[in-house]
Amino acid sequence: MSSMEEDQFSEESIADESQKIEQILEIESKIPDILSHAGNCIDAIETKESIEEFNKSAKSFFQTLEYVSTGLRKQVLDLEKAEVPLASLQPRKHYVTEPLTGMVFDEVNRLL
Amino acid sequence: MDEHSAQDENNKMDTTPLPVSLNPEVIESRNLAPEIELPQIFQKIVQERGNFRDLDETELEKQLEEEEDSSKAFSGKQDPYYGFTILPSQQEGNDVSQNSMNIHDYKKELVDYILIAQNECSLALDMTSLLLSKYKQSSSDTISPFLKSTVPPGSLGLERCHPPEAKESDSILAMCWKRKSLTSSKNLLFDAKERLSKVVDSEREYFQILSNVRDSSWPLVLSNKGGNYDVSVQYSALGGISLGLGLVRKDQEKQSYNFESGLVHQKASLRVDLVSSTGKIIASSKWNWSWGIQEEEDQLLVKIQSAQRVLLEMDVWNALLQEAQICENQGVVFTGDTIVLSCNPEFSLRIFLDTNTEESRQDPEADFLNVDQEEEYDYETKKLSQRCCDAVNAITHILFLQYCRNPNRKLQQAELAMVIDASAPQIIRPLIFYYAIHEEARQFQNWLQNEGIKFEYLPSYPWESAQDFLTFENFLLTNRLSLQWYLDLDSSLPAHIQHNPTLHGTEKTVWKYKDAYNFYKFSSVKNMCQYIEHARKQRGEVASNAIQE
């Protein structure tokens, strides 16, 4: 887990946006584990009555919590670093793009 | 065994004489039981059969018949305990109604519990306040007004006493209580985890699809509708006039993702029909986006593309309608769903938005079949008229592109002066303009041929020199054309005529006649023809005079 953390959060890794989304999805999939680790902690003391189990579960609980929180904070920082605008821009109206022109003229060629 | 004993008892009952006869007597308890009200009957029917609207006479009759049949079939064994079997089923029904509590019931329950708790608390507050009011003036403020009015303050006293003995069951209860709450909190955590991971899974699926859409370079727009943030796909990204945003939503039933655009039409394409004066369609052309079927596996992307196409066609149609409003003086008639260009008494062009959902035909030959089969036109003519329609459709789209590219195209001063609405698209007007030039040139040619005048027609259209499509697009909109005619009236007198038609009619005198001696301007072909006739006659007279002398 720690190696993966280093991999993902090293400064060198320059990921494009879809990779960023992948990372966030990765973090998101870990969030429910926080609950299950917490449940395991209670379970360890309450039914199994073993401190080692509890320590193990608590450790993984805090690890996951740390992973999620630092991961999300890192993403927020990355957003600031990439200077992603806060409000989404108003899309333009009344314009033509290259592909559209290409398609129209393709069809014109077909017709004429 | 039981039956035997019962029979025996019955026999005994029959045999033993009783003072009162046990013959059943029919007593109508009319006075006791009040008649059932109609609202109650309604309630019962709604409970038994659900919605009132679903009741159908024929179905009810059928059900009744079936019931009669079944009752005949079961008439043999009349169960004496029949009545008891109904009771459990009724209870089940009650349970179901309890389970399906709606939000108002929950709210009511919540309020009830809170009211009870509040009641308890205020009772305790009343008691302690009453006690303290003996020693402190200010604590009487917290006694409830009712208690204050009925009981004098300081009426409660206190005294030192021994504490009650601790019960063993209390500590057991406390421990069990804690253990139970621990277990339940553990279970709650696990359950929450289960639910949350399901949510996370569906979220992951959704965002992967969105990032897939983004990867194929459709822009995503974050829209805020009443505090709800939605990520919508801008399907009008390729261009056009209006802005189209659609949402990707999950279809709960099919477990698939759907693209929801606000479009009314599933399919739309601009259709141009050439209609004869009798109302028959001679040729028709339907615009077809050639990029429809790319190697897209993703259904969602295909849907986004088709939405883009439909919106574009609607934009084209709206631009045409907008322009049609200002060119009524050129014979453009429009209703809500068709625009008719009638420049020629024989034919008219009908333009409309075809929103047929049926499969658009791919090959042009199939379009041909669409047309009314008429014998009076041969194949060549049909082919030509087909080409005409195609050309109109194509140039409409090109000019639409031009309109989108330069929405605020700067009109020249002279054009501006003449145009009603400078911001209106220019699609129909250029089309009519070129058609009118052609018509005029044809008239002039016919006249010249009838008169037997030799001529040379040297039109130079701007688009002939276009290097690429963009310049072609711009050249279609040139305001002024210059068409040269060279006439050979007599062998000695060459005349040069310049025809300068303008798109917006900014010049009054479009024909310029020039020969060795004269330079005249004319506003119409007819005037010029008359002048040429006159000039020839004069020439002839002069020539004949010279011969006579």
Side-chain angles (χ1 to χ4, degrees):
Chain A
M1 183 143 165
S2 58
S3 67
M4 194 169 70
E5 261 183 58
E6 286 208 359
D7 232 333
Q8 283 208 339
F9 300 137
S10 60
E11 287 293 318
E12 282 78 28
S13 70
I14 299 158
D16 75 327
E17 288 172 48
S18 54
Q19 265 176 322
K20 287 273 175 219
I21 291 174
E22 273 303 313
Q23 283 177 13
I24 294 174
L25 287 179
E26 180 73 29
I27 294 168
E28 196 186 17
S29 65
K30 288 248 168 12
I31 293 175
D33 292 348
I34 298 176
L35 294 175
S36 69
H37 285 314
N40 278 336
C41 282
I42 298 172
D43 189 49
I45 321 185
E46 204 244 326
T47 53
K48 292 172 194 159
E49 297 185 357
S50 79
I51 294 293
E52 292 96 58
E53 282 274 330
F54 172 77
N55 280 340
K56 231 167 83 184
S57 302
K59 200 182 165 197
S60 50
F61 169 75
F62 282 120
Q63 250 175 10
T64 321
L65 201 62
E66 189 80 15
Y67 176 80
V68 169
S69 65
T70 46
L72 288 179
R73 205 168 294 138
K74 166 91 176 149
Q75 294 290 340
V76 172
L77 284 177
D78 278 356
L79 279 179
E80 276 175 13
K81 210 160 84 181
E83 292 177 350
V84 177
L86 278 176
S88 84
L89 298 173
Q90 186 67 32
R92 260 197 313 160
K93 290 179 176 182
H94 260 289
Y95 68 103
V96 177
T97 51
E98 277 302 311
L100 183 69
T101 316
M103 281 178 302
V104 168
F105 282 114
D106 280 352
E107 177 66 10
V108 167
N109 272 338
R110 197 186 68 81
L111 282 182
L112 299 183
Chain B
M1 171 88 179
D2 281 337
E3 278 181 28
H4 274 288
S5 60
Q7 273 183 353
D8 284 347
E9 271 188 26
N10 277 349
N11 288 339
K12 271 181 202 167
M13 301 264 267
D14 281 344
T15 48
T16 42
L18 277 171
V20 184
S21 132
L22 279 181
N23 280 342
E25 186 182 357
V26 179
I27 300 166
E28 284 183 36
S29 51
R30 196 183 299 149
N31 299 332
L32 295 174
E35 270 184 47
I36 305 172
E37 302 281 325
L38 193 60
Q40 287 171 344
I41 295 175
F42 280 150
Q43 253 185 6
K44 208 173 173 187
I45 292 172
V46 168
Q47 257 186 2
E48 278 176 10
R49 297 193 176 268
N51 211 332
F52 216 82
R53 199 193 295 168
D54 301 334
L55 293 177
D56 186 25
E57 194 181 342
T58 51
E59 253 180 55
L60 284 178
E61 274 174 4
K62 212 185 279 174
Q63 269 187 14
L64 264 180
E65 276 173 23
E66 275 174 21
E67 266 173 35
E68 273 174 17
D69 287 349
S70 60
S71 66
K72 268 176 201 165
F74 284 105
S75 60
K77 39 177 178 179
Q78 274 286 348
D79 199 354
Y81 299 106
Y82 186 67
F84 289 104
T85 53
I86 297 171
L87 285 176
S89 70
Q90 270 182 343
Q91 275 177 346
E92 273 170 28
N94 284 340
D95 283 345
V96 168
S97 69
Q98 270 181 355
N99 282 338
S100 62
M101 265 203 304
N102 57 7
I103 190 128
H104 293 292
D105 291 340
Y106 277 119
K107 191 178 163 189
K108 198 165 161 270
E109 204 183 321
L110 191 72
V111 170
D112 281 349
Y113 283 133
I114 291 172
L115 271 181
I116 291 168
Q118 196 210 7
N119 210 11
E120 297 286 325
C121 287
S122 45
L123 269 179
L125 183 68
D126 275 351
M127 284 300 128
T128 42
S129 301
L130 196 62
L131 180 63
L132 284 177
S133 65
K134 199 170 181 179
Y135 311 104
K136 244 184 177 177
Q137 194 60 44
S138 60
S139 57
S140 65
D141 295 343
T142 44
I143 307 174
S144 64
F146 177 74
L147 195 69
K148 212 190 266 180
S149 64
T150 45
V151 177
S155 51
L156 208 65
L158 79 163
E159 211 169 294
R160 197 178 283 238
C161 67
H162 290 289
E165 269 182 46
K167 272 191 273 177
E168 202 184 344
S169 64
D170 278 358
S171 60
I172 293 173
L173 182 73
M175 201 181 69
C176 288
W177 176 260
K178 273 174 192 159
R179 289 201 83 129
K180 198 190 159 205
S181 62
L182 265 181
T183 322
S184 74
S185 63
K186 181 188 79 186
N187 289 339
L188 270 179
L189 278 172
F190 283 139
D191 289 350
K193 193 244 164 181
E194 282 301 309
R195 264 180 291 139
L196 190 59
S197 34
K198 265 180 206 157
V199 171
V200 164
D201 281 349
S202 68
E203 285 269 292
R204 163 184 281 269
E205 209 180 336
Y206 174 71
F207 277 103
Q208 264 164 356
I209 280 174
L210 272 192
S211 92
N212 198 6
V213 169
R214 223 203 74 90
D215 282 348
S216 41
S217 69
W218 288 102
L220 302 180
V221 178
L222 192 68
S223 56
N224 184 1
K225 267 182 223 156
N228 279 344
Y229 283 99
D230 280 325
V231 180
S232 39
V233 182
Q234 187 195 348
Y235 59 83
S236 70
L238 281 175
I241 296 171
S242 34
L243 170 72
L245 294 176
L247 284 177
V248 177
R249 281 244 177 84
K250 190 172 186 178
D251 195 338
Q252 292 294 346
E253 286 171 15
K254 291 180 195 162
Q255 294 295 313
S256 65
Y257 283 88
N258 223 341
F259 183 67
E260 289 178 9
S261 56
L263 297 174
V264 184
H265 307 299
Q266 289 291 316
K267 265 184 185 156
S269 50
L270 198 72
R271 213 174 119 177
V272 178
D273 283 352
L274 188 65
V275 186
S276 71
S277 54
T278 50
K280 281 181 180 167
I281 299 170
I282 301 163
S284 87
S285 151
K286 206 168 164 185
W287 184 262
N288 217 338
W289 292 99
S290 49
W291 54 301
I293 297 121
Q294 290 173 7
E295 309 86 61
E296 302 281 9
E297 291 295 308
D298 204 329
Q299 279 297 307
L300 208 67
L301 294 181
V302 173
K303 274 180 194 158
I304 294 173
Q305 279 187 352
S306 78
Q308 161 83 87
R309 265 175 283 158
V310 170
L311 190 70
L312 265 175
E313 289 300 289
M314 285 165 78
D315 276 348
V316 174
W317 172 244
N318 284 334
L320 283 178
L321 269 184
Q322 193 193 337
E323 200 192 357
Q325 288 174 1
I326 58 163
C327 37
E328 223 168 332
N329 60 345
Q330 301 177 42
V332 178
V333 181
F334 69 98
T335 58
D337 47 3
T338 49
I339 295 176
V340 180
L341 315 181
S342 44
C343 315
N344 194 308
E346 278 179 60
F347 305 106
S348 56
L349 269 180
R350 197 172 60 190
I351 306 176
F352 60 99
L353 191 70
D354 197 349
T355 53
N356 253 345
T357 45
E358 63 185 69
E359 202 56 39
S360 60
R361 297 176 189 83
Q362 289 296 320
D363 52 333
E365 287 302 315
D367 252 4
F368 223 62
L369 296 176
N370 210 358
V371 169
D372 292 350
Q373 296 297 326
E374 272 191 83
E375 280 73 35
E376 52 181 300
Y377 301 109
D378 53 32
Y379 184 77
E380 277 302 307
T381 321
K382 273 184 184 172
K383 203 76 185 164
L384 268 176
S385 47
Q386 177 67 35
R387 274 182 70 87
C388 159
C389 287
D390 285 345
V392 169
N393 210 339
I395 288 172
T396 304
H397 278 79
I398 294 172
L399 287 173
F400 172 72
L401 273 198
Q402 165 67 30
Y403 172 57
C404 290
R405 212 185 296 280
N406 303 322
N408 306 311
R409 198 180 75 97
K410 286 225 170 64
L411 293 169
Q412 286 162 12
Q413 209 59 40
E415 296 176 45
L416 262 182
M418 300 298 289
V419 175
I420 300 168
D421 185 1
S423 66
Q426 299 186 48
I427 299 171
I428 302 175
R429 282 172 290 170
L431 279 172
I432 293 178
F433 175 55
Y434 295 124
Y435 176 74
I437 291 172
H438 173 75
E439 269 305 285
E440 222 167 6
R442 208 167 53 93
Q443 276 177 20
F444 192 38
Q445 276 179 13
N446 282 345
W447 183 79
L448 288 173
Q449 275 164 0
N450 284 343
E451 294 289 315
I453 299 171
K454 282 184 198 160
F455 67 96
E456 206 175 344
Y457 180 36
L458 293 173
S460 65
Y461 295 108
W463 53 82
E464 284 167 351
S465 59
Q467 297 294 321
D468 53 5
F469 278 130
L470 286 185
T471 43
F472 176 71
E473 209 177 278
N474 283 324
F475 279 144
L476 279 179
L477 277 184
T478 32
N479 183 32
R480 177 192 291 257
L481 295 181
S482 166
L483 311 169
Q484 315 291 336
W485 298 77
Y486 293 100
L487 303 190
D488 191 9
L489 293 180
D490 286 316
S491 51
S492 57
L493 187 69
H496 172 216
I497 296 170
Q498 199 176 11
H499 183 198
N500 282 335
T502 50
L503 175 55
H504 296 283
T506 40
E507 197 162 18
K508 283 278 171 281
T509 52
V510 290
W511 293 91
K512 285 169 190 150
Y513 173 88
K514 194 177 173 188
D515 59 18
Y517 312 109
N518 300 315
F519 176 63
Y520 290 115
K521 289 179 177 179
F522 299 98
S523 59
S524 73
V525 198
K526 245 179 216 169
N527 290 353
M528 198 178 57
C529 292
Q530 280 169 358
Y531 175 73
I532 292 169
E533 222 166 308
H534 167 69
R536 280 182 82 203
K537 220 177 267 176
Q538 253 188 355
R539 281 266 131 210
E541 279 172 11
V542 169
S544 59
N545 284 346
I547 289 165
Q548 279 173 10
E549 279 172 20

